[in-house]
């Protein structure tokens, strides 16, 4: 009887209920003209489904362990991001031609400055200094910088096509290079140099066996996989339903179109931010770095190729090149992150630098 009660309690948790109800709301609302109250309900379930999806990705990540766990989280977040971008681009028309660029750049700035800054701040406040593996984190940063330059900076300076856009051949190269670099990084992180991405204690020793909760059972991981897929389906469908309301809200608030991309990035990265901060509180700063730079890398390395393929049927140009202000912010972020990563140790000053850069980006996103 006790086992039955425990099972019922487990099934009654919000992370189980939300994906199921979200799919039900999607089925009821799909293809129909829905009133404003249903739009609000769908928005609530959209946000809750994002949180539930990342929760179940965390369960699977805990089961497979580091560094594979960070990869699972990064890929799950990127799938959600791509779904939102394609849904909003398909319904937004020419005004949404820069949505992919805005979302990817926002994800890079939030991860490399916001998540990194918060993680370093939490770790430094608790232990005076945050310690991580410079070899692995430096390699991740170099990959992020290369991907961001190839996909977001070069289109501004190419001359074969007017506007900050690639020609089909250039876009194909950027997409293939992004996939190749991301795949090589995954191979490095998971196989060839796995030890570079494992947490270290303040004293420098390996912390792969640090105290943490027992990993979930295989049955629990399989259940989380099923619920993760359900949540992702709900996110994709509900984003399609919500896209007209989101566009109308941005116009009503007189915000620039790039604010939509920032909102998408903030939504999908919020749960991962919480996961990174929790890891930093346990002195597992390397896990936080894996999450931050891994998410930035996946956001570029997986989103750009997917959007490149989707552009074959999406109407309007695909604008990828950043403007001068954003290029300056990206260059400053790469320089600051390099100086933070190289020593393998960071404190309050480095955390403050990254958080200031993140704040400047958010301010300029709503008031360019």
């Amino acid at each position: 009887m006790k086992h039955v009660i425990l099972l019922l309690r487990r099934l009654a948790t919000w992370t189980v209920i939300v994906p199921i109800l979200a799919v039900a709301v999607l089925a009821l609302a799909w293809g129909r003209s829905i009133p404003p109250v249903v739009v609000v309900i769908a928005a609530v379930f959209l946000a809750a489904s994002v949180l539930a999806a990342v929760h179940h990705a965390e369960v699977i990540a805990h089961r497979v362990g580091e560094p594979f766990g960070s990869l699972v989280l990064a890929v799950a977040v990127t799938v959600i991001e791509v779904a939102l971008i394609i849904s909003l681009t398909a319904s937004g028309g020419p005004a949404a031609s820069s949505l992919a660029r805005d979302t990817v750049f926002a994800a890079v700035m939030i991860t490399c400055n916001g998540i990194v800054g918060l993680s370093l701040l939490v770790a430094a406040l608790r232990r005076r200094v945050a310690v991580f593996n410079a070899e692995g984190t430096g390699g991740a940063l170099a990959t992020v910088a290369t991907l961001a330059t190839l996909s977001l900076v070069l289109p501004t300076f190419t001359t074969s096509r007017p506007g900050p856009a690639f020609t089909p051949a250039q876009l194909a190269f950027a997409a293939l290079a992004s996939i190749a670099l991301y795949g090589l990084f995954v191979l490095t992180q998971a196989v060839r140099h796995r030890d570079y991405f494992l947490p270290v204690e303040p004293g420098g020793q390996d912390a792969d066996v640090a105290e943490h909760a027992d990993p979930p059972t295989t049955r629990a991981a399989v259940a989380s996989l099923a619920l993760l897929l359900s949540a992702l389906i709900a996110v994709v469908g509900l984003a399609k339903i919500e896209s007209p309301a989101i566009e109308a809200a941005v116009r009503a608030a007189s915000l620039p179109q790039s604010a939509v991309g920032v909102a998408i990035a903030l939504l999908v990265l919020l749960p991962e931010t919480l996961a990174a901060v929790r890891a930093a509180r346990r002195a597992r700063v390397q896990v936080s770095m894996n999450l931050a730079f891994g998410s930035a890398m996946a956001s570029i390395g997986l989103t750009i190729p997917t959007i490149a393929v989707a552009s074959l049927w999406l109407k309007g140009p695909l604008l990828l090149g950043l403007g001068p202000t954003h290029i300056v912010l990206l260059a400053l972020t790469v320089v600051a992150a390099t100086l933070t990563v190289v020593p393998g140790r960071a404190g309050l000053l480095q955390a403050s630098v990254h958080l200031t850069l993140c704040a400047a980006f958010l301010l300029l996103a709503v008031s360019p």
Side-chain angles (χ1 to χ4, degrees):
M1 185 64 181
K2 290 183 178 180
H3 294 293
V4 175
I5 294 175
L6 290 174
L7 178 61
L8 291 176
R9 287 179 178 175
R10 184 173 299 175
L11 291 176
T13 59
W14 73 271
T15 54
V16 175
I17 295 174
V18 164
I20 298 173
L21 292 181
V23 172
V25 171
L26 173 62
L28 293 174
W30 186 260
R32 295 181 174 88
S33 179
I34 56 177
V37 63
V38 178
V39 172
V40 174
I41 294 174
V44 171
F45 275 102
L46 172 60
S49 296
V50 171
L51 296 174
V54 179
H55 166 79
H56 291 296
E58 283 186 318
V59 173
I60 299 170
H62 193 188
R63 175 62 183 174
V64 300
E66 287 296 327
F68 302 100
S70 298
L71 292 174
V72 172
L73 286 170
V75 171
V77 167
T78 305
V79 169
I80 297 172
E81 179 183 302
V82 169
L84 292 172
I85 290 173
I86 293 178
S87 297
L88 294 176
T89 301
S91 61
S97 58
S98 63
L99 181 59
R101 175 199 66 193
D102 297 335
T103 305
V104 170
F105 180 66
V108 171
M109 295 300 292
I110 292 169
T111 53
C112 294
N113 288 315
I115 296 181
V116 169
L118 281 175
S119 300
L120 294 179
L121 178 65
V122 170
L125 287 176
R126 292 177 66 88
R127 295 175 175 83
R128 297 183 63 85
V129 65
V131 181
F132 48 89
N133 199 320
E135 291 89 346
T137 308
L141 173 61
T143 308
V144 170
T146 302
L147 289 174
T149 302
L150 287 176
S151 300
L152 301 177
V153 177
L154 282 183
T156 302
F157 299 98
T158 54
T159 58
S160 298
R161 170 172 288 187
F166 275 143
T167 64
Q170 292 168 341
L171 182 59
F173 171 79
L176 292 175
S178 298
I179 293 176
L181 280 176
Y182 183 71
L184 183 59
F185 175 80
V186 170
L187 177 65
T188 302
Q189 184 181 30
V191 180
R192 295 187 64 86
H193 296 289
R194 181 174 179 270
D195 55 312
Y196 287 178
F197 301 91
L198 296 178
V200 293
E201 294 285 2
Q205 68 269 28
D206 180 72
D208 193 32
V209 294
E211 293 184 4
H212 53 76
D214 293 333
T217 63
T218 301
R219 179 179 298 179
V222 171
S224 287
L225 177 60
L227 290 168
L228 172 61
L229 294 176
S230 299
L232 292 178
I233 292 172
V235 168
V236 174
L238 292 176
K240 180 67 175 178
I241 293 173
E242 289 292 310
S243 56
I246 294 174
E247 297 288 346
V250 170
R251 289 193 298 269
S254 299
L255 293 175
Q257 188 67 25
S258 60
V260 178
V262 177
I264 293 174
L266 287 172
L267 175 64
V268 299
L269 290 172
L270 175 60
E272 198 157 25
T273 302
L274 298 177
V277 170
R278 287 198 299 268
R281 291 185 62 189
R282 301 195 302 268
R284 297 169 66 83
V285 181
Q286 184 60 50
V287 175
S288 303
M289 294 295 187
N290 292 346
L291 288 169
F293 292 118
S295 295
M297 199 182 312
S299 181
I300 306 172
L302 300 180
T303 300
I304 295 301
T306 305
I307 297 299
V309 174
S311 66
L312 297 175
W313 71 81
L314 291 175
K315 297 180 180 180
L318 178 60
L319 304 181
L320 292 177
L322 296 172
T325 302
H326 287 166
I327 290 177
V328 170
L329 284 175
L330 178 62
L332 188 55
T333 295
V334 172
V335 172
T338 301
L339 297 176
T340 297
V341 165
V342 167
R345 300 164 63 86
L348 288 177
L349 178 59
Q350 290 84 351
S352 300
V353 167
H354 287 285
L355 291 176
T356 300
L357 286 173
C358 184
F361 163 73
L362 294 176
L363 173 64
L364 293 172
V366 298
S367 179

